[in-house]
């Protein structure tokens, strides 16, 4: 017993000392429990009043447990790619909502750089890791009048604890762990999609290379492959053939060795959608349908998106709303749900559903003027949507357009190719808002540090499959008096189709080349789409990395190129109008 207590005092987790359940039972029998100390934010100059606690294995406990009705909210822990400040925003909004109805709020989170861990946000903050052991310790401490635990606002980290917590007898508020697991489990989720009469791309799951290869051969390449139960699309890739698949499997096995690999037919040239909604079991409130700017194949966390959608018919949008409601009810959703769709040839394919807060909830809430996280928190403690809102379709009444653009860390990661892929790379996001899409998109690019030039010189170099699409874009730039510079393949294609441009050497062919012009500040915008596959050509890689290093605006997808050239066309003769958020909603 003395040995166990000493190790706990040194910071070892139960699972590091042996079987986690047995060690916990041993500690409970022998009364080896953590005590909680208040963080002295006043440097001992006078008594600290901030409700900031950390655990230790000593004798004196400084927590004053109240008799009020209370809720424990799990944060998302340290910020990393795939799980960032957006979830913290949802946590804070949930706290505000519960305070409005007199419920005590207790946050468990251990990230000092987020708002949820500010001393004046929640009634109490336990500065603890988001592990099963630490969360159970806090729940045991705060069990008096505890309504339950909210896991929806802490991203994948918190959601992963939902089933283990329920197995320990903890009441999970909102969507139940069994339903969360159905959404996470592709086999179970696929059966629901089939039962609802909705479409999904062909798919399969496998553990070994042979299993995965057989599925890919049946579906047909290219396929989208990914491990299950990971953050931010980690190790998600589009593979073109069996050789790439075998190479991929070696990496995926390291990322998620205990879970199957998911294989989906890759829907080329599809339009992706994200939908954020809340459901109370009786009513579904669709916050917004977000149309991705980039084509399918770019991770939703890295894709720019627009509210309301700009290219979809009312018929398609109506079906998306209907599918969202059907799926929310089928998953017994109580709280938030995010669903991703792809539109190809007029068919709506359901890609995945996440019965929790998504990265886009703060963006949607600001875009439509309704705090989805606050509504979700109140749903989880028994309130109904009809008693909280009057408008069940807030997107319909918008007189503005909101564009979400992402912020990348490439400037701090020299040598990392900034090309977009199914694996998430972004670390933040910004929003542009205006009365039309062009200006909203332009504002979003400025905010993201990728300000589009209104004139000057553009360098164009695209892969072979993108050349038919480049003509319309190049023509528009030429009509706006941009000088067009291209390498041989793209240059010859443009010339043959009547678009004037200046040919320049490829980097591998000698100098002067585009890198020389970039270093002389003679390039104002770069459009370079990468070759398909795991190993992009060296020239394109060097161009994209140099664009980041030299702060030259760059575009790596054709969809973004269309959006950019149209935005430049429409804002060249306009002044940027600055209005408060309230003015867009006449508040």
């Amino acid at each position: 017993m003395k040995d166990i207590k000493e190790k706990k005092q040194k910071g070892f987790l139960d699972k590091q000392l042996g079987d986690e359940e047995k060690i916990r039972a041993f500690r409970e029998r022998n009364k080896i429990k953590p005590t909680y100390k208040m963080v002295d934010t006043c440097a001992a100059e006078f008594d600290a009043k901030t409700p900031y606690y950390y655990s230790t294995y000593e004798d004196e406990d400084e927590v004053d447990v109240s008799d009020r009705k209370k809720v424990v909210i799990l944060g998302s822990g340290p910020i990393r790619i795939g799980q960032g400040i957006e979830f913290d925003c949802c946590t804070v909004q949930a706290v505000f909502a519960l305070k409005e109805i007199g419920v005590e709020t207790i946050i468990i989170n251990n990230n000092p750089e987020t708002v949820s861990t500010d001393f004046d946000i929640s009634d109490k903050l336990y500065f603890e890791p988001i592990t099963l052991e630490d969360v159970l310790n806090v729940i045991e401490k705060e069990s008096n009048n505890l309504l339950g635990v909210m896991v929806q606002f802490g991203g994948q980290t918190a959601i992963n604890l939902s089933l283990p917590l329920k197995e320990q007898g903890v009441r999970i508020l909102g969507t139940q762990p069994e339903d969360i697991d159905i959404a996470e489990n592709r086999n179970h989720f696929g059966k629901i999609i089939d039962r609802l009469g909705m479409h999904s791309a062909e798919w399969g799951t496998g553990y070994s290379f042979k299993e995965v290869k057989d599925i890919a051969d049946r579906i047909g390449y290219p396929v989208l492959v990914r491990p299950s139960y990971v953050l931010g699309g980690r190790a998600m890739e589009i593979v073109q053939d069996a050789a790439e698949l075998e190479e991929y499997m070696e990496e995926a096995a390291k990322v998620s060795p205990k879970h199957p690999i998911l294989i989906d037919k890759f829907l080329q040239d599809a339009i992706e959608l994200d939908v954020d909604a809340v459901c109370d079991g009786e009513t579904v409130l669709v916050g917004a349908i977000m149309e991705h700017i980039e084509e399918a194949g770019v991770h939703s966390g890295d894709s720019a998106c627009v509210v309301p959608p700009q290219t979809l018919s009312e018929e398609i949008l109506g079906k998306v709303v209907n599918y969202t409601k059907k799926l929310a009810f089928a998953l017994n959703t109580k709280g938030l749900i995010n669903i991703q769709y792809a539109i190809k040839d007029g068919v709506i394919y359901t890609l995945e559903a996440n019965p929790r807060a998504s990265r886009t909830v703060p963006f949607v809430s600001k875009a439509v003027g309704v705090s989805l996280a606050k509504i979700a928190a109140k749903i989880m403690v028994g309130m109904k949507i009809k008693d909280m809102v009057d408008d069940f379709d807030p997107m319909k009444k918008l007189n503005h357009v909101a564009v979400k653009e992402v912020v990348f860390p490439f400037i701090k990661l020299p040598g990392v190719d900034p090309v977009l892929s199914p694996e998430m790379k972004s670390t933040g996001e910004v929003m542009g808002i205006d009365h039309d899409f062009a200006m909203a998109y332009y504002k979003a690019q400025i905010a993201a540090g990728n300000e589009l030039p209104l004139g000057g010189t553009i360098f164009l170099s695209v892969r072979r499959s993108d050349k038919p699409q480049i003509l319309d874009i190049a023509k528009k730039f030429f009509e706006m008096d941009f000088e067009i510079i291209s390498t041989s393949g793209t240059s010859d294609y443009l010339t043959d189709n009547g678009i004037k441009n200046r040919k320049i050497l490829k980097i591998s062919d000698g100098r002067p080349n585009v890198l020389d012009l970039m270093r002389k500040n003679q390039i104002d915008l770069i459009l370079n789409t990468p070759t398909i596959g795991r190993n992009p050509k060296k020239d394109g890689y060097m161009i994209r990395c140099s664009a980041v290093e030299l702060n030259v605006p760059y575009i790596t997808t054709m969809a973004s190129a269309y959006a950019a050239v149209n935005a430049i066309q429409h804002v060249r003769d306009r002044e940027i109008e600055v209005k408060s958020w309230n003015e867009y909603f006449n508040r």
Side-chain angles (χ1 to χ4, degrees):
M1 184 176 81
K2 181 180 179 183
D3 184 55
I4 292 292
K5 186 169 184 178
E6 287 179 352
K7 284 184 169 57
K8 296 304 293 182
Q9 288 175 332
K10 291 178 180 178
F12 286 93
L13 290 171
D14 287 350
K15 63 182 179 181
Q16 293 173 312
L17 300 178
D19 182 277
E20 186 168 7
E21 288 192 17
K22 290 180 179 178
I23 295 294
R24 183 173 187 85
F26 174 85
R27 289 196 298 102
E28 289 178 350
R29 285 196 307 270
N30 292 277
K31 296 185 171 28
I32 304 174
K33 297 183 179 182
T35 56
Y36 293 91
K37 305 288 187 180
M38 184 182 289
V39 175
D40 189 357
T41 55
C42 299
E45 293 183 19
F46 47 86
D47 290 341
K49 300 297 183 184
T50 53
Y52 228 72
Y53 299 102
Y54 65 95
S55 65
T56 182
Y57 278 80
E58 296 181 3
D59 297 324
E60 185 180 356
D61 191 285
E62 298 178 357
V63 175
D64 182 18
V65 179
S66 75
D67 293 325
R68 295 171 58 196
K69 289 182 179 179
K70 64 193 68 156
V71 166
V72 169
I73 305 174
L74 301 190
S76 57
I79 290 175
R80 62 264 206 203
I81 291 174
Q83 192 162 273
I85 196 69
E86 301 90 349
F87 294 107
D88 200 68
C89 175
C90 293
T91 300
V92 172
Q93 290 296 309
V95 169
F96 292 162
L98 295 173
K99 284 189 173 183
E100 289 174 2
I101 57 176
V103 175
E104 182 179 343
T105 56
I106 299 168
I107 289 178
I108 305 176
N109 203 6
N110 62 338
N111 188 342
E113 294 187 344
T114 55
V115 178
S116 70
T117 56
D118 284 357
F119 70 89
D120 56 351
I121 295 296
S122 59
D123 292 296
K124 285 181 183 173
L125 167 69
Y126 284 87
F127 203 80
E128 298 289 285
I130 312 299
T131 68
L132 179 62
E133 175 184 338
D134 291 294
V135 171
L136 285 174
N137 288 339
V138 173
I139 290 170
E140 183 180 352
K141 184 69 181 177
E142 294 286 352
S143 59
N144 185 26
N145 245 343
L146 178 65
L147 299 178
V149 178
M150 293 183 177
V151 298
Q152 288 189 22
F153 304 111
Q156 196 68 38
T157 299
I159 282 289
N160 286 347
L161 287 180
S162 61
L163 203 55
L165 285 171
K166 186 165 185 178
E167 289 171 350
Q168 294 292 325
V170 176
R171 184 186 180 198
I172 302 298
L173 298 176
T175 308
Q176 289 304 290
E178 296 84 356
D179 296 305
I180 294 170
D181 188 62
I182 287 173
E184 293 271 10
N185 185 298
R186 194 53 188 268
N187 287 310
H188 295 158
F189 184 66
K191 290 176 182 176
I192 285 184
I193 295 299
D194 292 340
R195 177 164 57 83
L196 295 175
M198 297 162 63
H199 297 279
S200 64
E202 288 190 79
W203 60 275
T205 61
Y207 286 88
S208 67
F209 170 65
K210 183 182 184 306
E211 290 177 348
V212 172
K213 182 178 181 300
D214 288 345
I215 294 166
D217 289 340
R218 171 175 58 82
I219 291 174
Y221 294 95
V223 293
L224 185 67
V225 288
R226 54 184 167 146
S228 51
Y229 294 91
V230 295
L231 287 175
R234 187 180 170 201
M236 186 189 295
E237 286 190 18
I238 300 166
V239 299
Q240 306 294 323
D241 51 42
E244 285 189 7
L245 184 61
E246 185 172 13
E247 184 181 349
Y248 169 83
M249 286 296 292
E250 294 178 4
E251 179 181 348
K254 300 174 185 176
V255 174
S256 187
K258 296 181 180 179
H259 298 293
I261 300 298
L262 310 180
I263 309 98
D264 292 270
K265 176 64 179 175
F266 177 55
L267 300 171
Q268 292 180 299
D269 302 318
I271 298 172
E272 280 203 29
L273 305 178
D274 261 80
V275 180
D276 279 322
V278 286
C279 177
D280 61 10
E282 299 174 3
T283 306
V284 176
L285 169 64
V286 176
I289 300 171
M290 293 158 274
E291 179 181 356
H292 290 203
I293 307 298
E294 285 79 15
E295 56 274 295
V298 174
H299 192 279
S300 60
D302 285 355
S303 179
C305 64
V306 56
V307 173
Q310 299 294 297
T311 68
L312 301 177
S313 67
E314 288 298 320
E315 180 185 3
I316 289 289
L317 295 178
K319 286 182 178 179
V320 169
V321 170
N322 184 43
Y323 287 172
T324 299
K325 292 179 178 179
K326 287 167 64 175
L327 195 50
F329 288 135
L331 290 171
N332 301 310
T333 306
K334 296 286 182 67
L336 286 157
I337 186 168
N338 170 267
I339 306 174
Q340 296 174 23
Y341 301 97
I343 315 295
K344 183 174 174 64
D345 300 328
V347 178
I348 303 170
Y349 295 90
T350 304
L351 303 180
E352 63 178 83
N354 298 294
R356 58 167 172 79
S358 71
R359 278 176 297 273
T360 49
V361 165
F363 164 67
V364 167
S365 298
K366 291 180 175 67
V368 302
V370 177
S371 177
L372 299 184
K374 291 182 75 171
I375 294 172
K378 291 180 179 179
I379 287 173
M380 287 182 228
V381 292
M383 295 181 67
K384 297 296 183 182
I385 293 175
K386 64 183 180 181
D387 298 323
M388 290 184 272
V389 299
D390 299 319
D391 184 3
F392 293 93
D393 195 359
M395 193 177 73
K396 284 284 187 182
K397 295 184 179 180
L398 296 183
N399 293 313
H400 61 263
V401 177
V403 174
K404 183 207 80 170
E405 185 55 279
V406 296
V407 178
F408 294 99
F410 299 127
I411 192 64
K412 297 180 180 178
L413 301 170
V416 173
D417 193 342
V419 69
L420 303 182
S421 73
E423 183 168 4
M424 186 174 170
K425 299 181 178 74
S426 64
T427 53
E429 58 187 34
V430 296
M431 183 172 87
I433 185 170
D434 208 277
H435 295 292
D436 61 75
F437 172 72
M439 185 58 83
Y441 184 81
Y442 187 73
K443 285 180 175 181
Q445 297 307 308
I446 294 174
N450 199 43
E451 183 173 353
L452 299 173
L454 301 182
T457 302
I458 179 171
F459 172 77
L460 301 180
S461 178
V462 299
R463 62 190 176 213
R464 184 174 301 151
S465 60
D466 289 333
K467 285 179 181 176
Q469 300 177 63
I470 198 64
L471 291 178
D472 185 44
I473 293 170
K475 183 179 179 181
K476 289 182 178 181
F477 276 116
F478 181 74
E479 290 172 347
M480 290 187 288
D481 295 324
F482 276 80
E483 181 185 9
I484 299 174
I485 296 178
S486 303
T487 49
S488 56
T490 304
S491 177
D492 292 343
Y493 187 81
L494 294 176
T495 300
D496 292 344
N497 285 276
I499 298 175
K500 184 179 178 182
N501 67 93
R502 176 156 64 97
K503 186 185 293 188
I504 191 171
L505 291 173
K506 292 183 178 180
I507 298 171
S508 53
D509 290 340
R511 304 176 70 173
N513 55 51
V514 65
L515 294 185
D516 297 315
L517 298 183
M518 290 166 67
R519 292 182 181 119
K520 294 178 182 178
N521 295 319
Q522 294 178 8
I523 299 292
D524 299 290
L525 180 63
I526 290 171
L527 170 53
N528 174 247
T529 59
T531 53
I532 296 175
R534 293 170 64 88
N535 299 304
K537 289 184 178 178
K538 185 177 180 181
D539 277 22
Y541 165 78
M542 293 177 65
I543 291 167
R544 294 188 294 271
C545 290
S546 296
V548 173
E549 179 186 345
L550 299 170
N551 198 29
V552 179
Y554 64 92
I555 299 169
T556 62
T557 69
M558 295 307 298
S560 294
Y562 276 112
V565 71
N566 289 328
I568 293 170
Q569 266 188 324
H570 287 87
V571 305
R572 275 160 57 100
D573 300 319
R574 294 169 56 185
E575 293 288 332
I576 295 180
E577 184 181 26
V578 178
K579 294 169 64 175
S580 72
W581 178 84
N582 286 332
E583 288 178 274
Y584 285 103
F585 293 94
N586 296 316
R587 295 178 179 175

